[in-house]
Amino acid sequence: MIANDAEKFKKVISHAKEYGYIFQSSEIYDGLSAVYDYGPYGALLKNNIKEYWWKAMVQMHENIVGLDSAILMHPTTWKASGHVDAFSDPLIDNKDSKKRYRADVLIEEFLAKQDEKIDKEVEKAKKRFENFDETMFRTTNGRVLEIAAKREAVHTRFVKALNDNNLDELKQIIIDCEIVDPISGTRNWTDVRQFNLMFSTSFGAASDSSDVVYLRPETAQGIFVNFLNVQKTTRQKIPFGIAQIGKAFRNEIVARQFIFRMREFEQMEMQFFVRPGEEMNYYNYWKKTRMLWHRALGTDASMLQFHDHDKVAHYANAAVDIEFKFPFGFKELEGIHSRTNFDLSRHTEFSGKKLQYFDPELNENYIPYVVETSIGCDRMFLAMMCNAYDEEGVGEETRVVLRLPAILAPIKVAVLPLIKKDGLPEKAMEIFNTLKFNHQCYYEEKDSIGKRYRRMDAIGTPYCITVDHQTLEDNTVTIRERDSMQQERIAIADVLQIVNAKVDINTVLKQLAD
Ligand code: ATP
């Protein structure tokens, strides 16, 4: 059984490897830090996540179109976007452990600890008093107020330091809060420095500095530089969106927590172009719509929350994260940003090409404003794995089951002959060969049926079909459902319809349209 969140996370990581979801990149050479490969089931799950996102965006909106732009872009792109000058994180080293940290993350973790302290006080008091009034306690208890006041003071300093880009003050906060390195346990810190997160490489045969190109740190810029191409060729009118899924690269300072923070990852981004002044309406619309997308998968409301940014990026006038409750706490899963007309204006300035839109209703030209939704495909994958992983006692045994939403499950249905003889494998293969046109299926004849069921539970397969001797007589099979483990005898002719009903992506998409 799972003792706590930390143990759960460890289990999810080893499960992902053991069952062919995720492998460390170049593992035979001891791996490459924060780079991962997706195994056979991982690749399927990831594709299903992308399909759900793409359909929800592109197929379900008459005014959103897709794009697949290149990873390598003209280097001026990144000067214009501000990434060359400003895409950096404040780093700090501990001189004893020689470990590197993000200064802002150390302070954020300190703030989160203060919240935990308050929660603990509340929990203690709850046990002590009958008719406990939590709001009253939080607003009047001396100890709670003391911790909250300290937290608030640090938070205010932190936000100001971030906004002023004041690296000395960030260090001072770390010193004043007596934050220690979790490894060495010491407070022997270096100064805070900015570190640019973009990977660079050289372009073409000659290698002088003028040939430096970057691996894109976000997919969005590919959308902005193609704004006119897409708008003209698709004849879209504002408001309209451009969506794309693709790789992004960031030389992250601290790459921990498995696929949560990777150096090579995949983003699903949509830029929505609107009239200046209308951006906040669409910002609120996309906040709501994106939360609905997550909830339609059946994720419990308590696992998701909005979090407004303390510091908005250099290009934004409003920003909110959708956070998911990972085993290591609520963390960003998706960002929704009102990016103003910053990017299109800057590309206009640097390229000399007018990235404008002629609005026939207003009879005027303007640079559109942009609302962006940006979600990491890998983070979504991790959220779904953590949400799905479960262990339950079945008789004497423990069953590990991945309760993935059926539309995301890598394998939809397994076809299993009860035994490996008497014509059962041939009959099972026949069924497999009819179902495979509609669904990703699985066939296995090795091991006992019980073991094969457990394996399918661990992979998250919603249905197992078992072919036995009776099948040969009356063309019926048993169908076993993953979560309830209920088995039912049904006609082979009905299998497809039952599986279809459960794994149909349209039923989920319809929830978004209602
Ligand atoms: P963080 O604060 O966690 O570094 P961010 O605010 O820099 O993230 P954005 O630039 O808003 O992230 O990127 C949009 C989305 O891309 C994030 O919500 C996240 O899901 C994903 N993402 C960003 N960086 C990484 C990474 N290093 N590994 C995996 N996914 C990432």
Side-chain angles (χ1 to χ4, degrees), residues 102 250 252 259-262 265 267 332-335 337 374-376 379:
R102 268 175 63 176
R250 296 182 188 180
E252 298 280 0
I259 57 168
F260 180 80
R261 192 173 297 287
M262 302 157 91
F265 57 101
Q267 288 185 315
E332 172 176 348
L333 173 59
E334 167 156 11
H337 310 125
S374 172
I375 173 168
R379 270 193 203 173

Side-chain angles (χ1 to χ4, degrees), residues 41-173:
Y41 300 121
L44 288 166
L45 171 55
K46 204 172 172 208
N47 281 341
N48 292 342
I49 291 172
K50 290 194 249 185
E51 185 193 5
Y52 175 45
W53 184 88
W54 186 267
K55 286 195 165 173
M57 284 293 180
V58 180
Q59 191 172 315
M60 300 287 289
H61 290 92
E62 78 291 354
N63 60 347
I64 298 182
V65 291
L67 180 72
D68 184 2
S69 71
I71 287 169
L72 299 177
M73 300 180 70
H74 193 285
T76 309
T77 308
W78 305 108
K79 288 206 184 87
S81 67
H83 283 80
V84 171
D85 293 326
F87 192 61
S88 49
D89 280 335
L91 72 81
I92 189 165
D93 295 285
N94 182 272
K95 290 183 199 160
D96 298 317
S97 70
K98 309 264 182 293
K99 288 280 172 209
R100 184 157 281 183
Y101 298 91
R102 268 175 63 176
D104 54 336
V105 172
L106 286 180
I107 299 170
E108 275 167 9
E109 283 171 358
F110 172 83
L111 292 171
K113 269 196 200 128
Q114 308 311 304
D115 291 334
E116 281 167 26
K117 273 190 197 165
I118 294 177
D119 290 344
K120 269 195 194 137
E121 293 293 326
V122 173
E123 285 311 310
K124 265 198 291 178
K126 239 185 219 166
K127 286 189 190 132
R128 258 186 292 137
F129 304 114
E130 259 176 55
N131 300 331
F132 177 68
D133 182 339
E134 185 171 330
T135 317
M136 174 81 121
F137 183 79
R138 281 182 184 271
T139 46
T140 56
N141 177 270
R143 174 89 184 113
V144 167
L145 290 178
E146 188 191 324
I147 302 170
K150 187 172 159 199
R151 185 206 181 278
E152 196 41 44
V154 173
H155 184 246
T156 309
R157 277 178 74 188
F158 175 52
V159 173
K160 183 163 181 350
L162 284 181
N163 284 323
D164 298 348
N165 218 351
N166 186 342
L167 303 183
D168 292 340
E169 171 67 352
L170 283 180
K171 180 173 180 187
Q172 199 54 48
I173 296 173

Side-chain angles (χ1 to χ4, degrees), residues 159-192:
V159 173
K160 183 163 181 350
L162 284 181
N163 284 323
D164 298 348
N165 218 351
N166 186 342
L167 303 183
D168 292 340
E169 171 67 352
L170 283 180
K171 180 173 180 187
Q172 199 54 48
I173 296 173
I174 289 173
I175 291 169
D176 293 348
C177 293
E178 304 184 343
I179 295 174
V180 296
D181 173 14
I183 293 170
S184 66
T186 71
R187 285 183 239 149
N188 197 4
W189 297 109
T190 62
D191 286 343
V192 177

